[in-house]
Amino acid sequence: MDALADVLTAAKVGGTVLARVDVAAPWGIEFPKLPIAVFHTVISGSCWLRRPGADPIRLTTGDLVLLPVGAGHVMSGAPSGPATPYDDLVAARPGHRESEVHIPGPGPRTRIICGGYRFDGRVSRPLLTLPPVLVLPAVHGEAPERSELADTLRMLTAELADPRPGSQTVIDRLTDVLFVHILRRWTAEQGDHGTSWVLGLRDPQVAAAISLLHEDPAQPWTVEELAHRVGVSRATLSRRFTDLVGEPPLAYLTHWRLELAGRRLRDTADALPAVARSVGYTSVSAFSRAFTRQWGTPPSRHRTDQHLP
């Protein structure tokens, strides 16, 4: 079981290029808060990422930044100064594709690719546990996660620069692939810092435990059984899992079960007892209580909400 693929599938993650930005200083673009993950990669030149309450971050050619929960932010040619809302820039260019933004000016020129990843916000808890900003500086090296990310960006840039039949499909697929490489690269460079389910995937035993939980979430797992299956002691697995993922194995399992239940309520007409059993609950009432604690609404209401027009 590929736990990363499982999470991305459950959350229905799908990427697309939002804009190709070609600007000259002075410039500033304000991106609103959106229910998507947003990335920017600098093709040439330099710029600043500005977020409310945070220090500006300078980005140069080859750098990439991901905002996993689409927080409102500004991309600009300077660490301060005015910014024009992105929607206004698009509206000012009637007849042009939304994916093209140009701002003329006397100063240095910068080119950026801006993209987004839409995901089901109701089945996305693992994505929401990522840091608010992931910055991947341009580097050169032999590590696979570095060359794979750079290669994907080169192919994406080339496809955008010279569209051919089928280009939109290629661009969408490359954008999806890019997200995986972003997570791989970020995970590889974190060292011993931070906690996230993604970081847990780099530890062989923790990754194996996560895969077992994903492969059979209805199993009445115990930490002892998980530890035995992955070849470490109960204490070692509990410590390493909690240190890397940020919560103990069975707490992670509970949250994942209820994520899957939310997905099944959204995508199927299965009766509540069947949904409960599919994620390891023999009692509908116990399932309903747990579901309501995590989602803030009972399963039946949750299903109704997902099918509102």
Side-chain angles (χ1 to χ4, degrees):
M1 173 65 69
D2 184 336
L4 176 56
D6 206 25
V7 169
L8 299 183
T9 298
K12 289 191 170 181
V13 175
T16 187
V17 171
L18 299 177
R20 286 181 293 156
V21 174
D22 189 340
V23 292
W27 64 276
I29 304 174
E30 180 182 357
F31 291 86
K33 179 176 176 59
L34 297 169
I36 62 174
V38 175
F39 76 87
H40 303 283
T41 184
V42 183
I43 303 305
S44 64
S46 64
C47 60
W48 294 83
L49 167 68
R50 292 153 44 187
R51 296 179 298 131
D55 292 335
I57 299 173
R58 188 169 187 266
L59 304 170
T60 59
T61 300
D63 291 352
L64 183 147
V65 60
L66 173 73
L67 294 87
V69 293
H73 61 284
V74 169
M75 299 293 289
S76 62
S80 62
T84 304
Y86 172 75
D87 289 343
D88 291 354
L89 291 170
V90 171
R93 290 174 58 83
H96 290 77
R97 292 188 302 170
E98 182 177 350
S99 60
E100 298 176 347
V101 174
H102 296 275
I103 301 177
R109 181 182 175 191
T110 299
R111 293 189 299 134
I112 306 169
I113 294 175
C114 308
Y117 294 98
R118 300 187 182 279
F119 55 87
D120 188 334
R122 298 161 298 231
V123 190
S124 59
R125 180 180 170 276
L127 296 179
L128 300 181
T129 63
L130 292 169
V133 177
L134 278 63
V135 178
L136 302 179
V139 292
H140 303 284
E142 298 302 321
E145 60 273 1
R146 292 182 173 182
S147 62
E148 290 165 353
L149 178 61
D151 290 344
T152 304
L153 283 171
R154 278 195 292 271
M155 287 188 288
L156 179 61
T157 302
E159 198 68 36
L160 287 165
D162 183 22
R164 288 164 287 172
S167 278
Q168 190 57 57
T169 298
V170 173
I171 290 166
D172 289 344
R173 299 298 181 270
L174 286 172
T175 309
D176 290 343
V177 170
L178 181 65
F179 189 68
V180 175
H181 288 317
I182 289 171
L183 294 181
R184 285 179 176 176
R185 161 97 180 268
W186 175 75
T187 299
E189 296 183 353
Q190 285 308 291
D192 297 325
H193 306 291
T195 59
S196 165
W197 66 278
V198 182
L199 296 180
L201 299 180
R202 71 185 180 185
D203 180 287
Q205 281 71 44
V206 172
I210 292 175
S211 293
L212 287 169
L213 297 178
H214 281 234
E215 186 174 356
D216 191 0
Q219 168 100 349
W221 290 106
T222 64
V223 178
E224 289 84 356
E225 174 64 16
L226 277 174
H228 174 72
R229 294 280 296 273
V230 303
V232 295
S233 70
R234 177 186 182 280
T236 297
L237 179 62
S238 293
R239 175 179 54 79
R240 284 160 61 175
F241 199 106
T242 303
D243 287 348
L244 288 171
V245 179
E247 60 185 350
L250 298 188
Y252 177 90
L253 173 61
T254 296
H255 288 129
W256 180 243
R257 284 172 166 173
L258 297 173
E259 295 283 348
L260 294 178
R263 176 187 180 188
R264 191 158 182 174
L265 289 168
R266 176 197 70 195
D267 294 343
T268 76
D270 294 346
L272 285 186
V275 174
R277 286 193 301 271
S278 73
V279 294
Y281 287 86
T282 57
S283 164
V284 172
S285 60
F287 167 69
S288 295
R289 288 194 298 270
F291 190 93
T292 302
R293 280 196 300 271
Q294 177 157 322
W295 290 89
T297 186
S300 57
R301 175 62 182 275
H302 178 88
R303 168 171 276 164
T304 301
D305 289 346
Q306 308 318 306
H307 293 90
L308 289 176

